[in-house]
Amino acid sequence: MGSLEVERTTTGWAARDSSGILSPYTYTLRNTGPEDVYVKVLSCGICHSDLHQVKNDLGMSNYPMVPGHEVVGEVLEVGSDVTKFRVGDVVGVGLLVGCCRSCNPCKTDNEQYCNKKIWSYNDTYSDGKPTQGGFAGELVADQKFVVKIPDGMAWEQAAPLLCAGVTVYSPLKHFGLNVSGLRGGILGLGGVGHMGVKIAKAMGHHVTVISSSDRKKEEALEHVGADEFLVSSDATKMQEAADSLDYIIDTVPVVHPLEPYLSLLRLDGKLILMGVIGAPLQFVSPMVMLGRKSITGSFVGSMKETEEMLEFCKDKGLTSMIEVVKMDYVNTAFERLEKNDVRYRFVVDVAGSNLNP
C-alpha cells in the first residue's frame, strides 16, 4: 500500500501524574512514513517497569503517558517500503521503536544499547511527537522494530515474551549459557523470573529458584517447573548450595544484598542483574575476586534475538503464566502488581475492552 500520510487519532489509557492512575486519553498518532506499520492493538502485557514509569519512580516521567511495551497487534496498513509485513499479520512491538542505526551497537544487532534509542513510550520520536505505548487502540511503528508473531501462538501468550521472554533469552545466549547441562539460579519468581525458569529448563539446565521465603516453593517446583527451591534466609541451605551455580539471573527490582548470591556461584560464575533499581547495590570485592566471578547486567534483547526467542518458545511449546484483564481493571492490576499479587504476568485484552467508556 502507499505511504501512510494521514494523521490518525486513537484512544489509550494514560497516567496524568505520578499517582499512576490511568484513564482514557485521546491523542494523535505520530506522522507516518513509507517504513511504518499501522497496527491495531490486540493485547498488551503489564511489566514492573510500567509501574516505575507511571509513578515517576525514576524521576524521568512525562505526562500524559500511555504505558505498555509488550504489544501484540494486527497489521491494518503498511507503508510503501515495508517488506516484512502484510495487512492481517499478527505482530509484536516491544520496548524500543527507534535507534540511530549508525553506532556500533546498531551495526552489530545490539540496538537496545544504542545511546539514541527511542522508547516505545515516555520518549520523543524523531519528528518531535511524544511516543505512547500499547494500552491503546492503535499504534504506528517502524518495521525494524516490529516482529512477526509465530503462527499458532496465542496473542495473550505472546505479549509477555516481548519483554520478559527476551530479557532472559538474550543474556543466556550472549554469555554462551544456552547449552545443556548447566546449573542456573533464578532470583525472584515474578514475570521475568518465571520465564527464566521455563527458558532455562528448555535449554537443558538444572534450575534453582531463589526466594526470600518459602511462600512460592510449591508453585516454583510444581507449576513453573524448577528443579530446586532455595530460601535465601536459610543460612544452612545457602551454605550447602555454595559454589554450585554457573549463573544467577537476578530479577529483583528493589535494593537487596548481592553477597549471599555471589557465594552460590562457581568459578567464573555470573550474576546477571535485570531489575531496574534506582539506588546503589553493594558487595565486597573479594566475593568476586576469589572465584573470578562477574557481576554484569543485560537489557531486554535485540530485534534479532526477539525473533529467535519467539521461534524458540514456539518450538519448545513454552507459554507464559498469565492473568488476562480488561482495560477498566488496569488500575487494580497495577495495585496488585505493586504487591506482587499476580501469577505471573497481567495481560490486558485491549481489543476486547471498551477504551472510552
Side-chain angles (χ1 to χ4, degrees):
M1 300 184 69
S3 175
L4 310 181
E5 297 174 350
V6 180
E7 275 199 344
R8 296 179 168 95
T9 61
T10 191
T11 297
W13 277 49
R16 277 19 184 239
D17 54 44
S18 60
S19 70
I21 296 172
L22 274 59
S23 58
Y25 169 62
T26 299
Y27 56 98
T28 303
L29 293 169
R30 69 168 175 79
N31 293 328
T32 55
E35 294 272 348
D36 287 325
V37 181
Y38 177 50
V39 176
K40 173 188 176 182
V41 178
L42 300 172
S43 60
C44 186
I46 303 179
C47 175
H48 204 280
S49 62
D50 294 325
L51 189 61
H52 283 309
Q53 293 283 14
V54 298
K55 289 183 172 291
N56 197 25
D57 289 342
L58 303 177
M60 22 194 288
S61 297
N62 299 292
Y63 303 98
M65 178 199 301
V66 178
H69 61 260
E70 299 178 342
V71 188
V72 174
E74 178 185 351
V75 175
L76 295 178
E77 197 170 326
V78 297
S80 56
D81 292 345
V82 172
T83 57
K84 294 172 63 179
F85 306 103
R86 296 181 298 177
V87 172
D89 284 349
V90 177
V91 297
V93 179
L95 195 56
L96 302 182
V97 293
C99 64
C100 78
R101 306 193 186 212
S102 60
C103 66
N104 184 61
C106 285
K107 289 180 176 179
T108 57
D109 288 322
N110 289 293
E111 64 278 343
Q112 72 272 33
Y113 299 111
C114 172
N115 288 330
K116 296 180 180 178
K117 59 183 166 286
I118 301 173
W119 307 102
S120 55
Y121 69 89
N122 194 36
D123 205 348
T124 304
Y125 203 70
S126 52
D127 63 359
K129 275 191 177 293
T131 60
Q132 302 288 10
F135 289 11
E138 295 85 23
L139 57 77
V140 175
D142 186 295
Q143 66 172 339
K144 176 177 174 60
F145 296 92
V146 180
V147 293
K148 178 86 165 58
I149 301 300
D151 292 340
M153 185 177 282
W155 309 336
E156 64 274 11
Q157 285 290 343
L161 300 179
L162 298 170
C163 175
V166 74
T167 292
V168 174
Y169 181 89
S170 176
L172 289 176
K173 182 185 177 189
H174 174 75
F175 292 117
L177 301 169
N178 57 336
V179 293
S180 62
L182 298 181
R183 299 179 72 91
I186 306 293
L187 178 54
L189 192 64
V192 175
H194 97 282
M195 284 311 305
V197 175
K198 287 171 169 277
I199 289 174
K201 284 293 294 179
M203 289 179 174
H205 298 180
H206 181 283
V207 179
T208 299
V209 168
I210 310 164
S211 188
S212 57
S213 75
D214 62 4
R215 186 168 54 90
K216 295 184 179 179
K217 181 175 182 178
E218 180 180 345
E219 53 198 80
L221 299 175
E222 297 185 15
H223 302 300
V224 185
D227 297 291
E228 294 186 48
F229 189 89
L230 183 59
V231 178
S232 57
S233 58
D234 186 333
T236 301
K237 292 294 185 183
M238 288 287 285
Q239 180 61 39
E240 291 173 0
D243 303 316
S244 67
L245 301 178
D246 295 294
Y247 67 87
I248 295 173
I249 289 176
D250 182 347
T251 73
V252 176
V254 295
V255 172
H256 57 287
L258 299 184
E259 290 170 9
Y261 310 110
L262 289 168
S263 70
L264 301 177
L265 294 172
R266 292 172 169 168
L267 175 67
D268 291 325
K270 289 180 169 55
L271 177 63
I272 306 168
L273 302 178
M274 293 185 178
V276 178
I277 303 171
L281 301 179
Q282 293 183 324
F283 64 95
V284 294
S285 59
M287 291 294 297
V288 293
M289 294 166 57
L290 299 178
R292 205 163 55 197
K293 300 171 185 180
S294 303
I295 299 173
T296 186
S298 183
F299 175 65
V300 286
S302 67
M303 300 312 299
K304 184 176 179 181
E305 287 171 330
T306 302
E307 291 171 341
E308 288 177 9
M309 175 275 308
L310 287 169
E311 288 299 326
F312 177 85
C313 289
K314 180 190 176 185
D315 291 346
K316 299 291 187 180
L318 299 186
T319 57
S320 44
M321 298 172 70
I322 59 174
E323 181 177 336
V324 179
V325 300
K326 302 293 188 189
M327 190 66 81
D328 60 8
Y329 188 81
V330 71
N331 290 309
T332 303
F334 271 119
E335 290 174 9
R336 288 179 52 195
L337 177 60
E338 198 162 21
K339 301 171 186 171
N340 293 318
D341 177 24
V342 57
R343 300 292 179 271
Y344 283 95
R345 202 67 149 188
F346 284 115
V347 176
V348 181
D349 173 14
V350 179
S353 297
N354 181 2
L355 298 182
N356 202 6

